[in-house]
DNA sequence: AATTTTGTCTAACGCTGTTAAATTATTTAA
DNA sequence: TTAAATAATTTAACAGCGTTAGACAAAATT
């Protein structure tokens, strides 16, 4: 009776293949070029089969969004874990965010840029895995506040997030600006905001 | 023989109507719902007629992008003109940018958010009408630098732009955060960066 | 071995941007 | 005023899209 499980495993496998195929297509041709028929081609099936695994195209994008957030959370946690000093933790974690946005540009675009997906970020993810959940901890500590949901923490978090997401968006859209200048802005802004946490 | 001109005027008029129709549809139903056939319906023609006025759909979007930048430039200039103090000018001009993004959300989305349009912003617009051209002037003055293209000015400009564009993007995507907190972040960030211009 | 269930595909619908050809209306020339 | 030429507009079509229903074959169950 292990055949039931074998089949189940095969189905799970195909579910994953669909996601991988979609990601590949997007990396090669961009989000605009992603179509159900192309995904089907890549996994060597016909298009309607996909609807056996996902309700529709949007569901696939949502699942990819989720994967993106998971990946981002990993990178940020790893980066923070390599420092003990809180200021360094904050800088490292935001640098990881920055790097993720460009190394996994397709994910980042899906997560924040292109569409209105992901707006329900908080409901979508398990507790402790949103950027907020991760970043708010050291921020609150520096500010000497216990509750990470405190409005003052929230405000500072948004200040960080804004400048970084802003810089990223600008750089995705206009590829002109030099990397050195961007890094400079980023570091300046981060240390600047961090200093302001103590007032 | 003024009929030639009359016809020319009519054609120019239709060109404008196409743009207006597109903008209306987007305001009612969003960018995703914009189609050539809907535009044609609205101007009481059939779809192929539009290709007599614009090469394709992208050309229409590009023209709308241009209009958006023009409008934004106006708002920013007006706002700055109402103050003599440079700090106040900067704050007013960025507040105008902020307001534009929400009052003309569709334009702003087209200009920065949704697609990869507009990336050639600089080549697209007449000199002196990009946000940079406008904002760099008072920034340079406060910094005591003559050349508005100076790297130091450029860096500070991007710092402003990033945090503002970031905040806006975040707010377009996640509608949760309260207006008061956003305003607070915005003002804090702006005055903060402005102070740093003098170091 | 017959029947049910499962997996997969073909065909189709209504939508999209876009083009070519046919048709109608308008202007010009005789 | 009528005939020819030009311009304006529409109809029909193509290839692609997301999606669904129905047919068909393979596998599992009875």
């Amino acid at each position: 009776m292990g055949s039931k499980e074998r089949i189940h495993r095969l189905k799970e496998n195909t579910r994953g293949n669909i996601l991988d195929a979609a990601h590949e297509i997007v990396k090669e041709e961009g989000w605009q070029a992603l179509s159900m028929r192309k995904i089907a081609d890549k996994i060597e099936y016909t298009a309607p089969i996909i609807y056996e695994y996902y309700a529709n195209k949007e569901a696939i994008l949502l699942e990819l969004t989720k994967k993106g957030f998971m990946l981002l959370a990993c990178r940020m946690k790893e980066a923070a874990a390599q420092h003990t000093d809180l200021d360094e933790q904050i800088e490292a974690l935001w640098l990881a965010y920055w790097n993720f946005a460009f190394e996994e540009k397709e994910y980042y675009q899906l997560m924040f840029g292109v569409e209105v997906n992901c707006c329900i970020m908080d409901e979508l993810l398990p507790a402790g895995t949103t950027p907020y959940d991760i970043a708010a901890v050291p921020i609150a500590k520096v500010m000497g506040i216990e509750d990470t949901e405190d409005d003052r923490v929230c405000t500072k978090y948004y200040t960080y997030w804004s400048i970084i997401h802003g810089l990223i968006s600008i750089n995705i859209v206009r590829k002109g600006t030099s990397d050195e200048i961007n890094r400079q802005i980023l570091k300046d802004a981060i240390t600047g905001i961090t200093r302001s946490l103590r007032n």
Side-chain angles (χ1 to χ4, degrees), chain A residues 144-194:
Chain A
I145 296 170
E146 262 201 282
D147 181 19
T148 56
E149 305 285 335
D150 188 295
D151 270 359
R152 288 165 294 170
V153 176
C154 188
T155 299
K156 289 298 181 183
Y157 167 76
Y158 271 97
T159 311
Y160 278 113
W161 193 17
S162 294
I163 194 154
I164 287 166
H165 175 59
L167 250 182
I168 289 165
S169 307
I170 288 163
N171 274 279
I172 285 179
V173 172
R174 324 178 66 242
K175 288 161 191 169
T177 327
S178 86
D179 271 3
E180 291 82 349
I181 289 179
N182 283 329
R183 294 265 167 186
Q184 198 53 46
I185 296 171
L186 190 63
K187 278 205 169 191
D188 280 358
I190 290 175
T191 55
I193 302 170
T194 304

Side-chain angles (χ1 to χ4, degrees), chain A residues 82-154:
Chain A
Q82 291 183 338
H83 297 84
T84 49
D85 180 77
L86 287 175
D87 287 33
E88 287 174 19
Q89 261 187 40
I90 293 172
E91 181 168 336
L93 134 191
W94 281 118
L95 268 171
Y97 181 108
W98 171 267
N99 289 328
F100 171 84
F102 291 99
E103 286 168 17
E104 310 287 349
K105 191 178 119 190
E106 296 77 24
Y107 275 126
Y108 193 85
Q109 277 184 113
L110 182 60
M111 289 156 71
F112 299 103
V114 183
E115 282 293 340
V116 199
N117 301 93
C118 92
C119 18
I120 33 153
M121 193 170 82
D122 293 351
E123 291 94 299
L124 203 69
L125 296 166
T129 61
T130 64
Y132 182 87
D133 293 333
I134 296 164
V137 175
I139 292 174
K141 278 188 191 157
V142 170
M143 295 178 83
I145 296 170
E146 262 201 282
D147 181 19
T148 56
E149 305 285 335
D150 188 295
D151 270 359
R152 288 165 294 170
V153 176
C154 188

Side-chain angles (χ1 to χ4, degrees), chain A residues 15-113:
Chain A
R15 247 187 89 86
N17 288 346
I18 290 171
L19 249 41
D20 292 344
H23 191 206
E24 261 188 66
I25 292 163
V26 170
K27 273 198 286 188
E28 288 161 8
E29 309 179 57
W31 286 107
Q32 219 173 16
L34 182 64
S35 82
M36 299 300 259
R37 284 172 173 89
K38 275 187 195 165
I39 295 174
D41 266 12
K42 205 142 224 165
I43 61 170
E44 294 180 304
Y45 275 108
T46 50
I49 269 292
I50 303 175
Y51 293 86
E52 219 83 3
Y53 296 88
Y54 295 95
N56 48 35
K57 193 182 179 183
E58 210 187 326
I60 295 174
L61 296 183
L62 210 69
E63 200 71 21
L64 281 172
T65 304
K66 218 166 170 177
K67 267 185 97 170
F69 274 111
M70 298 299 212
L71 201 55
L72 175 56
C74 276
R75 301 278 178 86
M76 289 173 77
K77 275 180 179 167
E78 274 173 26
Q82 291 183 338
H83 297 84
T84 49
D85 180 77
L86 287 175
D87 287 33
E88 287 174 19
Q89 261 187 40
I90 293 172
E91 181 168 336
L93 134 191
W94 281 118
L95 268 171
Y97 181 108
W98 171 267
N99 289 328
F100 171 84
F102 291 99
E103 286 168 17
E104 310 287 349
K105 191 178 119 190
E106 296 77 24
Y107 275 126
Y108 193 85
Q109 277 184 113
L110 182 60
M111 289 156 71
F112 299 103

